[in-house]
């Protein structure tokens, strides 16, 4: 049994209060939008090196304490360390011990991408045994099929991949796009990522799905070109890496980019203009997929 304590905090104090609560003995601390679920909810999006400059105007700090901990003393110490005149208003809730593995698994069901493609966690049976079923569990590397940008890329691959074509998944994360490409009939498929953990995860997932997919670190120079290139990363790296990624597309080859918010699409289209003419091919929940042909 644990005790969860929820405090209200202004944006300029929430992070300091969170750090102070950890120092004072909290087992974990998270910061949320206190207006979540209302018309005042404020989505925040950040990119590597360009994180949001501030938290929500009305933040909610949630701290978890051991059931025997003197959390009231911890709150007083943390409030003082964070420069607050007093402990903010708070509520408490008892949190029962649970089978966290079972609870986490219950939150991930098979995901239908198209009629022919499903993403299936290892603890589930495939809903359609005749479809292409990719076995993939949530992990440290990005890409389980649940995020709109991943779905947008998977839907495009279902339409774009022809048997025997070569495919480059730039920023492969879990390897889901490359694995899907192989299962959809692609020939040579290469996934690259800047994160060593992602490279390992993609290699493990490729083995689990019994697909022949090469995976390597993005620091290794690439000289070959590919019929299809897909990159589901973020706007800033897509812009910076435009010449490098575009150079990997075979003349006449196709490219799809995602990880781009609707309001950022013009920025990416402009950055890629010298190499490939891009256009919005599809959108979902505020994200877009940009497509082009070299």
């Amino acid at each position: 049994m644990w005790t969860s304590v929820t405090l209200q905090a202004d944006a300029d104090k929430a992070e300091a209060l969170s750090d102070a609560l950890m120092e004072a003995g909290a087992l974990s601390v998270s910061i949320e939008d206190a207006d979540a679920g209302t018309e005042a909810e404020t989505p925040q999006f950040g990119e590597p090196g360009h994180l949001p400059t501030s938290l929500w105007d009305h933040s909610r700090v949630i701290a978890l304490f051991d059931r025997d901990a003197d959390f009231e003393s911890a709150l007083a110490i943390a409030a003082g360390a964070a420069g607050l005149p007093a402990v903010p208003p708070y509520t408490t809730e008892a949190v029962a011990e649970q089978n966290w593995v079972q609870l986490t698994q219950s939150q991930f069901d098979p995901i239908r991408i198209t009629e022919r493609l499903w993403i299936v966690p290892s603890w589930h049976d495939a809903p359609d045994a005749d479809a292409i079923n990719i076995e993939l569990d949530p992990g440290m590397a990005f890409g389980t099929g649940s995020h709109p940008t991943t779905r947008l890329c998977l839907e495009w691959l279902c339409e774009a991949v022809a048997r025997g074509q070569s495919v480059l998944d730039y920023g492969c994360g879990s390897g889901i796009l490359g694995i899907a490409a192989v299962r959809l009939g692609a020939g040579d498929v290469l996934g690259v990522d800047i994160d060593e953990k992602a490279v390992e995860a993609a290699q493990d997932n490729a083995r689990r799905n019994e697909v022949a997919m090469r995976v390597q670190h993005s620091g290794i120079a690439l000289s070959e070109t590919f019929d299809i290139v897909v990159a589901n990363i973020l706007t800033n790296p897509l812009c910076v890496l435009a010449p490098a990624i575009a150079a990997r597309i075979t003349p006449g080859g196709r490219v799809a980019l995602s990880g781009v918010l609707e309001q950022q699409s013009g920025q990416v289209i402009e950055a890629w203009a010298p190499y490939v003419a891009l256009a919005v091919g599809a959108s979902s929940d505020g994200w877009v997929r940009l497509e082009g042909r070299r």
Side-chain angles (χ1 to χ4, degrees), residues 199-220:
V199 171
E200 294 175 8
Q203 291 171 334
D204 290 343
N205 288 325
R207 283 192 291 268
R208 177 187 298 185
N209 285 276
E210 300 180 343
V211 300
M213 170 184 169
R214 296 183 290 135
V215 186
Q216 67 184 46
H217 193 276
S218 58
I220 300 174

Side-chain angles (χ1 to χ4, degrees), residues 210-264:
E210 300 180 343
V211 300
M213 170 184 169
R214 296 183 290 135
V215 186
Q216 67 184 46
H217 193 276
S218 58
I220 300 174
L222 280 176
S223 59
E224 56 196 300
T225 58
F226 300 81
D227 301 314
I228 289 178
V229 174
V230 60
N232 180 25
I233 40 182
L234 289 168
T235 292
N236 282 346
L238 283 174
C239 291
V240 172
L241 294 170
I245 299 176
R248 306 277 62 83
I249 309 169
T250 299
R254 302 176 65 183
V255 62
L257 310 176
S258 197
V260 180
L261 294 167
E262 287 179 350
Q263 62 267 32
Q264 299 172 329

Side-chain angles (χ1 to χ4, degrees), residues 108-135:
F108 293 92
D109 292 324
I111 299 170
R112 178 183 179 275
I113 304 300
T114 66
E115 289 185 1
R116 62 190 295 218
L117 179 63
W118 285 78
I119 309 301
V120 185
S122 61
W123 53 85
H124 277 281
D125 292 330
D128 182 358
D130 295 327
I132 296 172
N133 294 290
I134 298 176
E135 182 180 315

Side-chain angles (χ1 to χ4, degrees), residues 16-270:
L17 180 59
S18 172
D19 292 341
L21 284 165
M22 288 298 295
E23 290 291 331
L27 300 175
S28 67
V29 182
S30 62
I31 304 175
E32 300 176 356
D33 184 358
D35 296 320
T38 72
E39 293 183 355
E41 181 177 0
T42 307
Q44 292 206 15
F45 303 98
E47 298 203 25
H50 295 79
L51 298 177
T53 56
S54 65
L55 296 172
W56 302 276
D57 290 338
H58 304 107
S59 296
R60 180 187 297 124
V61 179
I62 303 173
L64 188 68
F65 291 91
D66 187 86
R67 65 176 178 178
D68 297 324
D70 182 3
F71 71 85
E72 292 180 336
S73 295
L75 295 182
I77 294 170
L84 299 173
V87 176
Y90 65 88
T91 60
T92 63
E93 179 184 4
V95 179
E97 294 187 26
Q98 302 184 56
N99 184 329
W100 296 106
V101 172
Q102 186 179 60
L103 178 63
T104 299
Q105 290 181 349
S106 70
Q107 298 172 352
F108 293 92
D109 292 324
I111 299 170
R112 178 183 179 275
I113 304 300
T114 66
E115 289 185 1
R116 62 190 295 218
L117 179 63
W118 285 78
I119 309 301
V120 185
S122 61
W123 53 85
H124 277 281
D125 292 330
D128 182 358
D130 295 327
I132 296 172
N133 294 290
I134 298 176
E135 182 180 315
L136 198 72
D137 294 341
M140 293 180 65
F142 178 82
T144 62
S146 60
H147 195 275
T149 62
T150 309
R151 294 181 65 97
L152 286 168
C153 291
L154 288 168
E155 290 167 357
W156 182 80
L157 286 171
C158 285
E159 177 272 327
V161 173
R163 183 160 299 279
Q165 286 186 313
S166 58
V167 176
L168 170 64
D169 176 8
Y170 200 97
C172 63
S174 67
I176 184 172
L177 301 182
I179 294 169
V182 176
R183 298 293 303 278
L184 289 164
D188 180 35
V189 176
L190 172 64
V192 301
D193 203 284
I194 195 172
D195 187 338
E196 290 286 0
K197 292 293 185 182
V199 171
E200 294 175 8
Q203 291 171 334
D204 290 343
N205 288 325
R207 283 192 291 268
R208 177 187 298 185
N209 285 276
E210 300 180 343
V211 300
M213 170 184 169
R214 296 183 290 135
V215 186
Q216 67 184 46
H217 193 276
S218 58
I220 300 174
L222 280 176
S223 59
E224 56 196 300
T225 58
F226 300 81
D227 301 314
I228 289 178
V229 174
V230 60
N232 180 25
I233 40 182
L234 289 168
T235 292
N236 282 346
L238 283 174
C239 291
V240 172
L241 294 170
I245 299 176
R248 306 277 62 83
I249 309 169
T250 299
R254 302 176 65 183
V255 62
L257 310 176
S258 197
V260 180
L261 294 167
E262 287 179 350
Q263 62 267 32
Q264 299 172 329
S265 58
Q267 179 183 347
V268 180
I269 290 172
E270 181 179 357

